[in-house]
Amino acid sequence: MKGNPGFNVGVFMGSSDEEENVGKEIESASFSNQYKFINSEQNIMVATKAFGMGIDKSNVRKVIHLIMPESMDF
């Protein structure tokens, strides 16, 4: 996804209700973006709530929730 210069934005969606081939494309792109984010190749992620589970990065400064989760598990 193209953004402003200096911002490399990725999108992550854990699963898809689309037809099988489309769902596999979305899943493949999502996990590619996740890999890039973990390895600091992307600096902004737009993601579903499941994205952050198990990702421990010291350089994450902000997490913005559209809807506040029921529990804040750190």
Side-chain angles (χ1 to χ4, degrees):
M1 174 181 266
K2 292 184 179 184
N4 293 328
F7 295 108
N8 194 353
V9 181
V11 177
F12 181 90
M13 184 169 55
S15 64
S16 173
D17 292 333
E18 301 290 336
E19 77 172 60
E20 187 175 343
N21 289 338
V22 173
K24 287 183 185 228
E25 281 184 45
I26 291 170
E27 184 178 289
S28 176
S30 290
F31 286 105
S32 174
N33 287 333
Q34 180 182 27
Y35 175 83
K36 291 175 184 176
F37 181 74
I38 290 170
N39 290 294
S40 300
E41 296 172 29
Q42 290 182 329
N43 51 9
I44 297 175
M45 286 296 290
V46 177
T48 60
K49 65 182 178 179
F51 173 75
M53 302 302 289
I55 294 177
D56 186 15
K57 286 185 55 119
S58 62
N59 63 348
V60 172
R61 291 184 270 162
K62 293 183 182 176
V63 175
I64 300 170
H65 293 276
L66 179 60
I67 300 171
M68 186 61 76
E70 291 180 22
S71 67
M72 298 298 286
D73 187 16
F74 293 101

